[in-house]
Amino acid sequence: MSHLADLIRPTLPAGLTLPEPLERAWTWMEDQGWGFETRGTYYLTPFEGRAQLGIVFSPSETLTGWFEPGEPGHDRLFPLGQTDGSGSFAALWLDPTDTVRFVLLGSEGERLLLADDAVDFLRLIAIGYLELADYVLPEAPDEDEDGESVAALAQFRAWVESELGVDVPEHWTVQEPDPFSAWVDEVTRSS
């Protein structure tokens, strides 16, 4: 089990669990030495170094600004880490059928279903996008803007393909209509 999972597990809302492939990926990242602590907070990346070249997992993310404790929806989400330097973050979402999915809550109000399961979430991360957003994902990462990120994630991409037995695509398909965005609309309307 990874150190990050040990830090996160006690704070998960009832019904939410960490999917095994995600824990396995975190353990691999830690085995590479890609976890570090700064100012009392633990961070873990799927790439070497401390520059933000994709997602940065951390147990200290919150839903503040989206869902406050006690509000409808708060107990069905759990933030996993920042997806870019602007404050957008990926989260676990316990959907209405009690299936754990992966979503994005953006700094500009975006909400997006990223993946239906942990393996697909890891495949998405391994592509090498510098940020995750609905307008970025349908295209392959831009060589000029994302080149450093794509290169930094090469080891992780190879691990995903060999360890999980899947291919990492060149770009990601966004689901439309987006069920997570519809759920956020429904939950926030009812509160």
Side-chain angles (χ1 to χ4, degrees):
M1 185 176 334
S2 71
H3 178 59
L4 183 59
D6 288 341
L7 295 170
I8 285 177
R9 192 169 279 107
T11 62
L12 285 170
L16 264 173
T17 58
L18 293 173
E20 186 273 335
L22 182 62
E23 282 197 63
R24 194 167 10 144
W26 287 346
T27 299
W28 180 82
M29 291 173 208
E30 288 175 352
D31 288 347
Q32 307 314 301
W34 297 344
F36 58 94
E37 193 163 319
T38 300
R39 292 181 230 145
T41 299
Y42 183 70
Y43 298 97
L44 184 62
T45 61
F47 48 84
E48 187 175 11
R50 294 192 180 193
Q52 185 160 356
L53 299 170
I55 191 165
V56 176
F57 296 103
S58 172
S60 65
E61 298 300 320
T62 70
L63 296 171
T64 299
W66 281 96
F67 296 93
E68 301 303 323
E71 288 182 351
H74 185 272
D75 61 341
R76 301 195 69 83
L77 291 162
F78 188 84
L80 295 172
Q82 296 235 350
T83 58
D84 58 43
S86 73
S88 299
F89 61 91
L92 294 175
W93 171 45
L94 190 61
D95 78 5
T97 68
D98 291 336
T99 300
V100 175
R101 297 181 183 205
F102 293 79
V103 297
L104 173 84
L105 293 162
S107 60
E108 300 295 321
E110 310 93 336
R111 56 272 178 104
L112 178 66
L113 175 67
L114 294 174
D116 286 325
D117 60 45
V119 171
D120 276 350
F121 180 63
L122 296 170
R123 291 174 65 225
L124 167 59
I125 292 169
I127 292 171
Y129 291 107
L130 192 54
E131 64 177 312
L132 302 178
D134 58 354
Y135 61 88
V136 172
L137 298 179
E139 303 293 327
D142 182 279
E143 264 186 56
D144 294 332
E145 293 176 24
D146 301 311
E148 188 178 359
S149 180
V150 171
L153 283 145
Q155 283 182 269
F156 179 66
R157 192 167 30 262
W159 180 87
V160 167
E161 291 182 332
S162 67
E163 183 70 23
L164 302 177
V166 295
D167 291 327
V168 173
E170 290 184 15
H171 63 85
W172 201 247
T173 303
V174 175
Q175 187 174 338
E176 297 209 18
D178 188 294
F180 177 62
S181 185
W183 176 82
V184 171
D185 286 341
E186 182 181 321
V187 168
T188 55
R189 256 196 313 269
S190 68
S191 58

